[in-house]
mmCIF file of all heavy atoms in Angstrom:
data_model
loop_
_atom_site.group_PDB
_atom_site.id
_atom_site.type_symbol
_atom_site.label_atom_id
_atom_site.label_comp_id
_atom_site.label_asym_id
_atom_site.label_seq_id
_atom_site.Cartn_x
_atom_site.Cartn_y
_atom_site.Cartn_z
ATOM 1 N N GLN O 1484 12.809 -20.785 -44.414
ATOM 2 C CA GLN O 1484 13.986 -19.910 -44.189
ATOM 3 C C GLN O 1484 14.074 -19.615 -42.784
ATOM 4 O O GLN O 1484 13.107 -19.687 -42.023
ATOM 5 C CB GLN O 1484 13.818 -18.620 -45.055
ATOM 6 C CG GLN O 1484 13.768 -18.842 -46.535
ATOM 7 C CD GLN O 1484 15.110 -19.460 -47.127
ATOM 8 O OE1 GLN O 1484 16.120 -19.204 -46.502
ATOM 9 N NE2 GLN O 1484 15.020 -20.263 -48.040
ATOM 10 N N ILE O 1485 15.283 -19.213 -42.382
ATOM 11 C CA ILE O 1485 15.560 -18.967 -40.929
ATOM 12 C C ILE O 1485 14.599 -17.847 -40.438
ATOM 13 O O ILE O 1485 14.616 -16.791 -41.079
ATOM 14 C CB ILE O 1485 16.981 -18.702 -40.657
ATOM 15 C CG1 ILE O 1485 17.824 -19.930 -41.173
ATOM 16 C CG2 ILE O 1485 17.217 -18.314 -39.231
ATOM 17 C CD1 ILE O 1485 19.273 -19.641 -41.182
ATOM 18 N N LEU O 1581 25.714 -16.059 -37.799
ATOM 19 C CA LEU O 1581 25.325 -15.787 -39.244
ATOM 20 C C LEU O 1581 23.916 -15.739 -39.428
ATOM 21 O O LEU O 1581 23.415 -15.181 -40.412
ATOM 22 C CB LEU O 1581 25.934 -16.913 -40.041
ATOM 23 C CG LEU O 1581 27.464 -16.907 -40.184
ATOM 24 C CD1 LEU O 1581 27.948 -18.203 -40.977
ATOM 25 C CD2 LEU O 1581 28.021 -15.640 -40.786
ATOM 26 N N VAL O 1635 15.317 -18.561 -59.120
ATOM 27 C CA VAL O 1635 16.028 -17.482 -58.465
ATOM 28 C C VAL O 1635 16.789 -18.057 -57.234
ATOM 29 O O VAL O 1635 16.213 -18.752 -56.424
ATOM 30 C CB VAL O 1635 14.932 -16.443 -57.985
ATOM 31 C CG1 VAL O 1635 15.680 -15.304 -57.243
ATOM 32 C CG2 VAL O 1635 14.201 -15.904 -59.136
ATOM 33 N N ASP O 1636 18.119 -17.639 -57.170
ATOM 34 C CA ASP O 1636 18.844 -18.199 -56.075
ATOM 35 C C ASP O 1636 18.247 -17.764 -54.758
ATOM 36 O O ASP O 1636 17.831 -16.666 -54.534
ATOM 37 C CB ASP O 1636 20.345 -17.589 -56.163
ATOM 38 C CG ASP O 1636 21.141 -18.234 -57.211
ATOM 39 O OD1 ASP O 1636 20.825 -19.305 -57.659
ATOM 40 O OD2 ASP O 1636 22.130 -17.576 -57.600
ATOM 41 N N GLY O 1637 18.189 -18.824 -53.851
ATOM 42 C CA GLY O 1637 17.604 -18.641 -52.516
ATOM 43 C C GLY O 1637 16.113 -18.788 -52.467
ATOM 44 O O GLY O 1637 15.512 -18.808 -51.408
ATOM 45 N N SER O 1638 15.371 -18.957 -53.545
ATOM 46 C CA SER O 1638 13.960 -19.190 -53.587
ATOM 47 C C SER O 1638 13.679 -20.660 -53.188
ATOM 48 O O SER O 1638 14.631 -21.507 -53.374
ATOM 49 C CB SER O 1638 13.337 -18.913 -54.927
ATOM 50 O OG SER O 1638 13.848 -19.875 -55.886
ATOM 51 N N SER O 1641 14.781 -23.124 -55.842
ATOM 52 C CA SER O 1641 16.193 -23.319 -56.090
ATOM 53 C C SER O 1641 16.810 -24.380 -55.267
ATOM 54 O O SER O 1641 17.860 -24.913 -55.563
ATOM 55 C CB SER O 1641 17.001 -22.056 -55.856
ATOM 56 O OG SER O 1641 16.985 -21.644 -54.447
ATOM 57 N N PHE O 1642 16.086 -24.823 -54.207
ATOM 58 C CA PHE O 1642 16.594 -25.885 -53.353
ATOM 59 C C PHE O 1642 16.045 -27.286 -53.711
ATOM 60 O O PHE O 1642 16.100 -28.244 -52.924
ATOM 61 C CB PHE O 1642 16.257 -25.681 -51.912
ATOM 62 C CG PHE O 1642 17.070 -24.432 -51.293
ATOM 63 C CD1 PHE O 1642 16.522 -23.217 -51.206
ATOM 64 C CD2 PHE O 1642 18.353 -24.652 -50.865
ATOM 65 C CE1 PHE O 1642 17.212 -22.163 -50.680
ATOM 66 C CE2 PHE O 1642 19.075 -23.602 -50.382
ATOM 67 C CZ PHE O 1642 18.523 -22.396 -50.202
ATOM 68 N N ARG O 1712 19.958 -27.273 -45.770
ATOM 69 C CA ARG O 1712 20.225 -27.313 -47.209
ATOM 70 C C ARG O 1712 20.975 -25.996 -47.533
ATOM 71 O O ARG O 1712 20.520 -24.909 -47.238
ATOM 72 C CB ARG O 1712 19.005 -27.507 -48.037
ATOM 73 C CG ARG O 1712 18.299 -28.778 -47.787
ATOM 74 C CD ARG O 1712 17.155 -29.102 -48.793
ATOM 75 N NE ARG O 1712 16.105 -27.997 -48.718
ATOM 76 C CZ ARG O 1712 15.064 -28.029 -49.535
ATOM 77 N NH1 ARG O 1712 14.897 -28.924 -50.447
ATOM 78 N NH2 ARG O 1712 14.066 -27.136 -49.378
ATOM 79 N N ILE O 1713 22.112 -26.190 -48.271
ATOM 80 C CA ILE O 1713 22.883 -25.069 -48.701
ATOM 81 C C ILE O 1713 23.038 -25.045 -50.176
ATOM 82 O O ILE O 1713 23.426 -26.112 -50.753
ATOM 83 C CB ILE O 1713 24.308 -25.068 -48.022
ATOM 84 C CG1 ILE O 1713 24.160 -25.199 -46.536
ATOM 85 C CG2 ILE O 1713 25.169 -23.844 -48.376
ATOM 86 C CD1 ILE O 1713 25.514 -25.540 -45.817
ATOM 87 N N SER O 1714 22.759 -24.001 -50.822
ATOM 88 C CA SER O 1714 22.897 -23.908 -52.291
ATOM 89 C C SER O 1714 24.391 -23.758 -52.622
ATOM 90 O O SER O 1714 25.158 -22.924 -52.147
ATOM 91 C CB SER O 1714 22.130 -22.608 -52.849
ATOM 92 O OG SER O 1714 22.396 -22.482 -54.204
ATOM 93 N N SER O 1716 25.636 -22.646 -55.241
ATOM 94 C CA SER O 1716 25.858 -21.405 -56.005
ATOM 95 C C SER O 1716 26.332 -20.361 -54.989
ATOM 96 O O SER O 1716 26.907 -19.413 -55.508
ATOM 97 C CB SER O 1716 24.610 -20.949 -56.714
ATOM 98 O OG SER O 1716 23.583 -20.631 -55.846
ATOM 99 N N GLY O 1717 26.119 -20.536 -53.730
ATOM 100 C CA GLY O 1717 26.537 -19.529 -52.776
ATOM 101 C C GLY O 1717 28.045 -19.765 -52.313
ATOM 102 O O GLY O 1717 28.613 -18.868 -51.731
ATOM 103 N N GLN O 1720 30.415 -17.035 -53.887
ATOM 104 C CA GLN O 1720 30.237 -15.727 -53.320
ATOM 105 C C GLN O 1720 30.826 -15.719 -51.873
ATOM 106 O O GLN O 1720 31.419 -14.731 -51.373
ATOM 107 C CB GLN O 1720 28.808 -15.312 -53.276
ATOM 108 C CG GLN O 1720 28.304 -15.052 -54.728
ATOM 109 C CD GLN O 1720 26.838 -14.673 -54.717
ATOM 110 O OE1 GLN O 1720 26.487 -13.700 -53.926
ATOM 111 N NE2 GLN O 1720 25.929 -15.192 -55.546
ATOM 112 N N GLN O 1802 27.986 -8.545 -44.872
ATOM 113 C CA GLN O 1802 27.729 -9.097 -46.238
ATOM 114 C C GLN O 1802 27.675 -10.591 -46.125
ATOM 115 O O GLN O 1802 26.923 -11.224 -46.826
ATOM 116 C CB GLN O 1802 28.804 -8.617 -47.266
ATOM 117 C CG GLN O 1802 28.575 -9.166 -48.688
ATOM 118 C CD GLN O 1802 27.193 -8.693 -49.178
ATOM 119 O OE1 GLN O 1802 26.704 -7.666 -48.843
ATOM 120 N NE2 GLN O 1802 26.715 -9.461 -50.138
ATOM 121 N N LEU O 1803 28.484 -11.201 -45.255
ATOM 122 C CA LEU O 1803 28.577 -12.585 -45.144
ATOM 123 C C LEU O 1803 27.216 -13.077 -44.566
ATOM 124 O O LEU O 1803 26.651 -14.171 -44.987
ATOM 125 C CB LEU O 1803 29.657 -13.025 -44.227
ATOM 126 C CG LEU O 1803 31.023 -13.016 -44.812
ATOM 127 C CD1 LEU O 1803 32.064 -13.320 -43.652
ATOM 128 C CD2 LEU O 1803 31.245 -13.903 -45.950
ATOM 129 N N THR O 1804 26.596 -12.381 -43.676
ATOM 130 C CA THR O 1804 25.330 -12.789 -43.077
ATOM 131 C C THR O 1804 24.235 -12.776 -44.147
ATOM 132 O O THR O 1804 23.383 -13.701 -44.163
ATOM 133 C CB THR O 1804 24.876 -11.892 -41.920
ATOM 134 O OG1 THR O 1804 24.762 -10.544 -42.386
ATOM 135 C CG2 THR O 1804 25.907 -12.020 -40.752
ATOM 136 N N ARG O 1805 24.343 -11.865 -45.048
ATOM 137 C CA ARG O 1805 23.310 -11.770 -46.063
ATOM 138 C C ARG O 1805 23.438 -12.909 -47.026
ATOM 139 O O ARG O 1805 22.399 -13.616 -47.481
ATOM 140 C CB ARG O 1805 23.401 -10.429 -46.876
ATOM 141 C CG ARG O 1805 23.039 -9.147 -46.110
ATOM 142 C CD ARG O 1805 22.977 -7.964 -46.996
ATOM 143 N NE ARG O 1805 22.622 -6.776 -46.254
ATOM 144 C CZ ARG O 1805 23.442 -5.900 -45.732
ATOM 145 N NH1 ARG O 1805 24.790 -6.100 -45.962
ATOM 146 N NH2 ARG O 1805 23.069 -4.904 -45.056
ATOM 147 N N ILE O 1806 24.722 -13.272 -47.348
ATOM 148 C CA ILE O 1806 24.933 -14.442 -48.268
ATOM 149 C C ILE O 1806 24.466 -15.682 -47.655
ATOM 150 O O ILE O 1806 23.752 -16.527 -48.209
ATOM 151 C CB ILE O 1806 26.364 -14.496 -48.610
ATOM 152 C CG1 ILE O 1806 26.794 -13.348 -49.526
ATOM 153 C CG2 ILE O 1806 26.758 -15.800 -49.279
ATOM 154 C CD1 ILE O 1806 28.344 -13.329 -49.724
ATOM 155 N N MET O 1807 24.774 -15.907 -46.333
ATOM 156 C CA MET O 1807 24.434 -17.221 -45.687
ATOM 157 C C MET O 1807 22.879 -17.336 -45.587
ATOM 158 O O MET O 1807 22.341 -18.379 -45.697
ATOM 159 C CB MET O 1807 25.091 -17.301 -44.357
ATOM 160 C CG MET O 1807 26.624 -17.419 -44.414
ATOM 161 S SD MET O 1807 27.110 -18.794 -45.343
ATOM 162 C CE MET O 1807 26.652 -20.148 -44.455
ATOM 163 N N ARG O 1808 22.291 -16.147 -45.187
ATOM 164 C CA ARG O 1808 20.806 -16.188 -45.121
ATOM 165 C C ARG O 1808 20.076 -16.502 -46.491
ATOM 166 O O ARG O 1808 19.067 -17.251 -46.528
ATOM 167 C CB ARG O 1808 20.260 -14.902 -44.534
ATOM 168 C CG ARG O 1808 18.795 -14.888 -44.236
ATOM 169 C CD ARG O 1808 18.433 -13.747 -43.373
ATOM 170 N NE ARG O 1808 18.933 -12.452 -43.937
ATOM 171 C CZ ARG O 1808 19.797 -11.686 -43.364
ATOM 172 N NH1 ARG O 1808 20.399 -12.096 -42.259
ATOM 173 N NH2 ARG O 1808 20.176 -10.530 -43.897
ATOM 174 N N ARG O 1809 20.708 -16.082 -47.557
ATOM 175 C CA ARG O 1809 20.126 -16.346 -48.882
ATOM 176 C C ARG O 1809 20.335 -17.700 -49.324
ATOM 177 O O ARG O 1809 19.355 -18.260 -50.012
ATOM 178 C CB ARG O 1809 20.709 -15.348 -49.867
ATOM 179 C CG ARG O 1809 20.164 -15.382 -51.251
ATOM 180 C CD ARG O 1809 20.781 -14.331 -52.157
ATOM 181 N NE ARG O 1809 20.121 -14.351 -53.437
ATOM 182 C CZ ARG O 1809 20.457 -13.560 -54.431
ATOM 183 N NH1 ARG O 1809 21.363 -12.680 -54.280
ATOM 184 N NH2 ARG O 1809 19.883 -13.636 -55.607
ATOM 185 N N TYR O 1810 21.392 -18.363 -49.092
ATOM 186 C CA TYR O 1810 21.647 -19.629 -49.508
ATOM 187 C C TYR O 1810 21.617 -20.717 -48.474
ATOM 188 O O TYR O 1810 22.236 -21.753 -48.631
ATOM 189 C CB TYR O 1810 23.098 -19.622 -50.153
ATOM 190 C CG TYR O 1810 23.275 -18.732 -51.337
ATOM 191 C CD1 TYR O 1810 23.903 -17.495 -51.119
ATOM 192 C CD2 TYR O 1810 22.720 -18.993 -52.570
ATOM 193 C CE1 TYR O 1810 24.108 -16.592 -52.240
ATOM 194 C CE2 TYR O 1810 22.833 -18.115 -53.640
ATOM 195 C CZ TYR O 1810 23.547 -16.955 -53.412
ATOM 196 O OH TYR O 1810 23.676 -15.969 -54.475
ATOM 197 N N PHE O 1811 20.732 -20.562 -47.531
ATOM 198 C CA PHE O 1811 20.791 -21.363 -46.345
ATOM 199 C C PHE O 1811 19.241 -21.645 -46.060
ATOM 200 O O PHE O 1811 18.479 -20.764 -45.840
ATOM 201 C CB PHE O 1811 21.365 -20.592 -45.212
ATOM 202 C CG PHE O 1811 21.697 -21.485 -43.948
ATOM 203 C CD1 PHE O 1811 22.932 -22.024 -43.770
ATOM 204 C CD2 PHE O 1811 20.797 -21.666 -43.026
ATOM 205 C CE1 PHE O 1811 23.270 -22.830 -42.680
ATOM 206 C CE2 PHE O 1811 21.040 -22.456 -41.806
ATOM 207 C CZ PHE O 1811 22.311 -22.947 -41.691
ATOM 208 N N ASP O 1812 18.850 -22.925 -46.075
ATOM 209 C CA ASP O 1812 17.492 -23.371 -45.927
ATOM 210 C C ASP O 1812 17.444 -24.430 -44.805
ATOM 211 O O ASP O 1812 18.170 -25.493 -44.825
ATOM 212 C CB ASP O 1812 16.807 -23.918 -47.119
ATOM 213 C CG ASP O 1812 15.423 -24.443 -46.883
ATOM 214 O OD1 ASP O 1812 14.567 -23.713 -46.361
ATOM 215 O OD2 ASP O 1812 15.242 -25.700 -47.150
#
Side-chain angles (χ1 to χ4, degrees):
Q1484 297 298 327
I1485 300 172
L1581 293 177
V1635 178
D1636 285 341
S1638 66
S1641 69
F1642 289 99
R1712 296 190 295 180
I1713 305 169
S1714 172
S1716 63
Q1720 297 185 43
Q1802 182 61 24
L1803 288 175
T1804 58
R1805 292 188 180 97
I1806 290 174
M1807 294 304 293
R1808 187 166 50 245
R1809 182 174 184 181
Y1810 298 104
F1811 193 93
D1812 173 59

